[in-house]
Amino acid sequence: MIEACEGMVPMIEDLLDLSAIEAGTLRLKITAVLLKPYLAKVVALNASLAHGKGTEVRLEYTDPLPDTVHWDPQRVTQVLGNLISNGVKYSPPGSLVRVQVASTPDRGVQVRVTDQGPGIAPEEQDRLFTPYSRASALPTGGEKSTGLGLAIARRVLIAHGGTIGLDSQVGGGSAFWVILPA
């Protein structure tokens, strides 16, 4: 009974977030964030969840990055956590999920989460960012999905002045990326 209730908490939180977004009441708490320690913490949190599946989550920096960014750390953690957990969820056990961080030409930051999952068919890609939408691929470890995470992520990123997208092909894994102003 307790496990069932605990399993419902993330779904309720997602529904509340979506309601706030749709009502226009989502408020960001922008603060200065030390980028590398912040990203290391986000990745470590999700890496511990991936451990049970034998999956490695690896953080990689590909460019010089700003020391400090101005984001809502709780909301960006929600977005990045969703992308990383999806990478783990849809990749086979024992695989690698890469979190690559680079600067953008306009002094922003790009975070790219690449998995080794089944990939997403082109006709399914656009609708992934709408509420309650899911791709046809199934989680490899029986994990659950509400179909809300990417829709919420897109709206949180738009509120930050950022964007989200993906590169994927069936049989070749997926790479979800976000770009945020620093």
Side-chain angles (χ1 to χ4, degrees):
M1 177 74 155
I2 292 173
E3 285 181 19
C5 291
E6 287 174 347
M8 294 179 73
V9 170
M11 181 176 68
I12 292 168
E13 290 173 345
D14 282 350
L15 289 169
L16 291 171
D17 284 343
L18 187 62
S19 294
I21 290 166
E22 290 179 349
T25 58
L26 175 72
R27 301 286 179 248
L28 298 179
K29 295 176 185 156
I30 304 295
T31 185
V33 177
L34 293 173
L35 184 61
K36 286 186 177 182
Y38 166 76
L39 291 171
K41 183 177 176 181
V42 171
V43 169
L45 172 67
N46 286 279
S48 66
L49 300 173
H51 181 73
K53 198 170 176 180
T55 298
E56 179 186 356
V57 179
R58 183 182 305 155
L59 178 59
E60 303 170 352
Y61 301 108
T62 58
D63 290 325
L65 296 167
D67 291 330
T68 304
V69 294
H70 292 86
W71 297 339
D72 179 330
Q74 180 179 348
R75 293 298 181 179
V76 174
T77 297
Q78 180 182 16
V79 169
L80 297 179
N82 179 267
L83 297 181
I84 296 167
S85 68
N86 281 349
V88 171
K89 188 184 303 184
Y90 291 98
S91 291
S95 58
L96 172 66
V97 174
R98 296 171 67 195
V99 181
Q100 299 167 295
V101 185
S103 59
T104 63
D106 60 351
R107 300 177 44 88
V109 175
Q110 181 185 57
V111 180
R112 185 177 183 88
V113 179
T114 305
D115 66 40
Q116 295 179 324
I120 302 165
E123 62 272 11
E124 295 181 331
Q125 292 180 15
D126 285 339
R127 68 182 169 91
L128 286 179
F129 298 101
T130 60
Y132 309 106
S133 182
R134 298 181 194 136
S136 58
L138 297 174
T140 58
E143 299 95 340
K144 304 290 184 216
S145 172
T146 62
L148 294 173
L150 291 174
I152 292 169
R154 174 181 249 169
R155 288 169 175 86
V156 166
L157 290 164
I158 289 170
H160 276 86
T163 187
I164 186 171
L166 79 139
D167 301 311
S168 185
Q169 61 181 20
V170 175
S174 298
F176 283 83
W177 49 265
V178 301
I179 297 176
L180 284 159

